[in-house]
Amino acid sequence: IVDYSINPSAIYVTGLSAGAGMTAVMLADYPQVFNKGAIMSGLPYKAATSSLGAYSAMNGSVIKTPAQWSTLVKNQNPGYTGPFPHAAIFQGTMDFTVNIANATELIKQWTDLNSADQTADVTNNSFDGNSIIQQTIYSDNLNNPVVYYYKITGMGHGIALDTGACPRQGGSAATYALENNFHSTYWAADFFNILTSPY
């Protein structure tokens, strides 16, 4: 922030898989630093505290109430009274590395931290004209959107791409970079409000 004159209210973090788990850690441990995060095929904060526990969590076996999930975050910084970061969650339905149940648990954690319930306020089926993408948006008690969820039907473990040269496209397909006609990096950047119009 000091060296590059970064706007302190515009700091974001994203990651895939273990990086998505670390994204949740960064959002939970440093809520005063990060404004938003994009969690791609990840786990809730403190879903596990050991390697063995991590495998159980990855399999979708760790289920908690929204209050239990948010308490794990709040206990990390008991003196913190400011706002918590907003989250965008990206998850494939056929992910056999990180079970899709973790998306539900992430929604519980980050909605509760942001004074929202677990009922979607907006549901967009065939999001952006893509029949395999469902976007749901959860808003706080002031009707501000705080959690976005992108469910990608049929996608395995990886980051979703829409390869091509158009502004909403990008990336190259690889082992964990999967063509789904949906450029998740673009939509994460849109969520972060860092895109330059027009697109």
Side-chain angles (χ1 to χ4, degrees), residues 75-177:
N75 285 349
Q76 193 64 31
N77 291 290
Y80 179 71
T81 58
F84 284 94
H86 297 174
I89 299 157
F90 298 78
Q91 179 69 48
T93 62
M94 299 298 289
D95 189 333
F96 299 119
T97 301
V98 175
N99 189 285
I100 192 173
N102 285 289
T104 299
E105 301 309 300
L106 279 162
I107 290 167
K108 290 179 187 177
Q109 187 166 61
W110 293 98
T111 52
D112 202 68
L113 285 165
N114 283 285
S115 302
D117 60 29
Q118 288 72 57
T119 301
D121 295 281
V122 176
T123 299
N124 293 315
N125 295 312
S126 296
F127 175 74
D128 201 40
N130 188 333
S131 62
I132 69 167
I133 310 298
Q134 181 189 64
Q135 180 205 56
T136 48
I137 302 173
Y138 301 81
S139 297
D140 64 15
N141 51 18
L142 298 176
N143 207 32
N144 299 309
V146 293
V147 174
Y148 286 63
Y149 173 40
Y150 296 89
K151 182 170 72 174
I152 307 161
T153 299
M155 189 178 85
H157 189 64
I159 187 170
L161 301 179
D162 185 4
T163 55
C166 293
R168 292 187 181 186
Q169 295 179 311
S172 299
T175 303
Y176 298 109

Side-chain angles (χ1 to χ4, degrees), residues 23 26 36 41 58 86 122 130 133 146 158 177 185 191:
T23 295
M26 299 299 278
K36 295 179 180 179
S41 302
M58 289 162 63
H86 297 174
V122 176
N130 188 333
I133 310 298
V146 293
T185 300
F191 174 66

